[in-house]
Amino acid sequence: MAGFTDYLNPVRVLGDVWDELGILTDRALDRHLRVAVTGLSRSGKTVFITSLVHHLLDGNGLPFLEPVHDGRYLGAQLEDEHRGDRFPYARFHADLSAQPPRWPKATERLTSVRLELAYRTRSLVLRQVQPVQHLTLEIIDYPGEWLLDLPLLEQDYDQFSREALDLAEQPLRRAAAAEWLAQLAAFDSDGPENEDAITALSDAFRCYLIHCHQELGLSRVQPGRFTNPGDLEGSALLRFCPLPPGEVRRGTNRARMVERYVRYRDEVVRRFYLDYFSAFDRQVVLIDLLGALNAGPGHFADTQESLALILKSFRYGGSGFLSRLFAPKIDRLLFAVSKADHVAPNQHPALKQLLELMIRPAARTARYEGITTEVMTLASLRCTDVVRTEHHGQVLSCVRGLLKDSQRETVLFPGEIPPDLPEPDDWTSGRFRFKDFAPRRLVSSVAGQHIRLDQALQFLIGDKLA
């Protein structure tokens, strides 16, 4: 009788009906999900995508993905392997499964990989009609520098120039910018247009940005195509740079710089938004936070500023029925600290909290716009084991793995993550000494090859596999 009473409970009945309607509506309106993946400097997005696809194809090692946990997940298969813009999964998987394995080379343009996922629905209605359902999952990989360009859509040339010149005067960038600034001081901005002089100055500006990105490891580099041009390599659209303020007169060097900036903003950045970004359903942003802590307060501040710029790009709200048909919008946004295996598990909560603090002010706007935002720590491919050692009577949680540079296995105590934003003393105490590790082989049907990759998948696609 108790079971019959429970069945008649109106709250429970309404809840079951609501769940069922949600599943039916989702299936009717959406069988194709676009998940975009990008990352700040050296964040490991190539390995993230490769490992994610590997585990979906393998069907094992994903206990926190609900259909896998429930026994409803049937597997996946790759689609469109011969597209020109495809993500080179086979090559990257071969790198990680080699003996010995090697880290894949980072991608430098927009690519994508498509999988068709098969699963048994938990919908009572759909189970009678078509128990096996399919979802096309499209994973889009694009450089983080392109995402950082989106705020340029709201800036004219003078605003862009002021910000770029201010950045170049920061202590961390000043030496790298010295040659470009010296050429800028001698450049006749208001003189007759001289294409050779414009090219020389813009090349010096580009060299400065590349040095900031590749040598200094900074994330905030704009325009992003100057460091990661993709198919714009050699284009005249990349031959401009910031100039001190002045009147724009036709036929001058300044007029040509302004014209090219406007074209870059409208033909490159806006086109990326219209053709790609506005069509993404969900977004992953990977951050190498350990690397930012290692590099010092300037790099850490640069990472925080870059995250704030990224969050400015997600003001477009949730996905309703009409918006999905005519103007798709990102409705879930995952910020993930990569390389969580480089510290002991007892440091993961502090690592997550630190990233939450870094994005908290800007994340409020994203939530207000209806975007579900999540923060987590993960390792796409676990490279270390956790070991405990005793030091002066104190038990320490350490990590053991093969160091990337020396190829020597070591056990080390990597340091502790601050529970709050780092204080000045943290930067001078030698607190941060996180090491990079060589990869371990990515093989099939072996548990424990990642950290929280399945939880990331549950957040990103779990609701579509009901």
Side-chain angles (χ1 to χ4, degrees), residues 399-415:
V399 295
R400 179 181 62 206
L402 197 67
L403 291 177
K404 178 182 176 181
D405 294 331
S406 67
Q407 294 293 305
R408 175 177 57 85
E409 184 166 275
T410 187
V411 174
L412 56 87
F413 177 68

Side-chain angles (χ1 to χ4, degrees), residues 12-116:
R12 179 174 177 179
V13 171
L14 284 173
D16 291 343
V17 171
W18 184 257
D19 287 345
E20 186 70 18
L21 285 174
I23 295 172
L24 291 173
T25 302
D26 184 56
R27 295 291 75 75
L29 299 182
D30 183 16
R31 292 287 74 223
H32 189 129
L33 189 68
R34 298 177 183 88
V35 176
V37 180
T38 195
L40 299 184
S41 182
R42 300 170 177 84
S43 59
K45 64 185 176 67
T46 300
V47 179
F48 175 84
I49 296 172
T50 303
S51 181
L52 186 150
V53 173
H54 166 86
H55 282 91
L56 286 173
L57 291 172
D58 190 50
N60 292 300
L62 301 172
F64 283 94
L65 182 59
E66 191 175 272
V68 173
H69 179 269
D70 296 344
R72 296 186 293 106
Y73 185 72
L74 302 178
Q77 62 182 18
L78 287 168
E79 294 185 347
D80 296 324
E81 274 294 276
H82 301 292
R83 290 180 296 114
D85 64 344
R86 68 182 180 88
F87 178 83
Y89 169 73
R91 173 158 53 89
F92 293 154
H93 188 270
D95 287 338
L96 293 174
S97 58
Q99 186 66 279
R102 52 190 175 269
W103 292 121
K105 183 180 178 181
T107 54
E108 297 179 347
R109 60 188 180 91
L110 188 145
T111 59
S112 65
V113 58
R114 294 178 191 168
L115 300 96
E116 182 174 305

Side-chain angles (χ1 to χ4, degrees), residues 123-185:
S123 164
L124 296 175
V125 175
L126 290 177
R127 205 180 303 162
Q128 308 306 314
V129 181
Q130 189 175 355
V132 175
Q133 297 283 309
H134 296 86
L135 172 72
T136 298
L137 175 63
E138 184 174 4
I139 304 168
I140 301 100
D141 164 36
Y142 69 95
E145 296 81 22
W146 298 7
L147 181 59
L148 287 168
D149 266 359
L150 288 181
L152 296 181
L153 294 174
E154 299 178 344
Q155 293 183 346
D156 61 23
Y157 179 74
D158 284 342
Q159 291 171 312
F160 156 71
S161 292
R162 282 196 299 271
E163 285 196 8
L165 289 167
D166 287 344
L167 273 177
E169 292 295 339
Q170 290 184 354
L172 196 58
R173 299 171 184 249
R174 193 175 298 140
E179 183 175 342
W180 165 59
L181 291 176
Q183 291 189 37
L184 179 60

Side-chain angles (χ1 to χ4, degrees), residues 178-239:
E179 183 175 342
W180 165 59
L181 291 176
Q183 291 189 37
L184 179 60
F187 183 72
D188 188 1
S189 301
D190 301 310
E193 181 180 333
N194 182 330
E195 185 59 35
D196 289 340
I198 290 173
T199 299
L201 185 63
S202 60
D203 285 348
F205 176 64
R206 184 178 180 186
C207 287
Y208 149 66
L209 292 181
I210 291 173
H211 184 85
C212 287
H213 183 57
Q214 296 183 359
E215 304 301 324
L216 300 181
L218 297 173
S219 299
R220 188 177 177 186
V221 288
Q222 293 171 305
R225 300 293 182 111
F226 279 50
T227 62
N228 206 317
D231 56 2
L232 288 181
E233 186 65 63
S235 169
L237 287 177
L238 302 185
R239 291 202 282 271

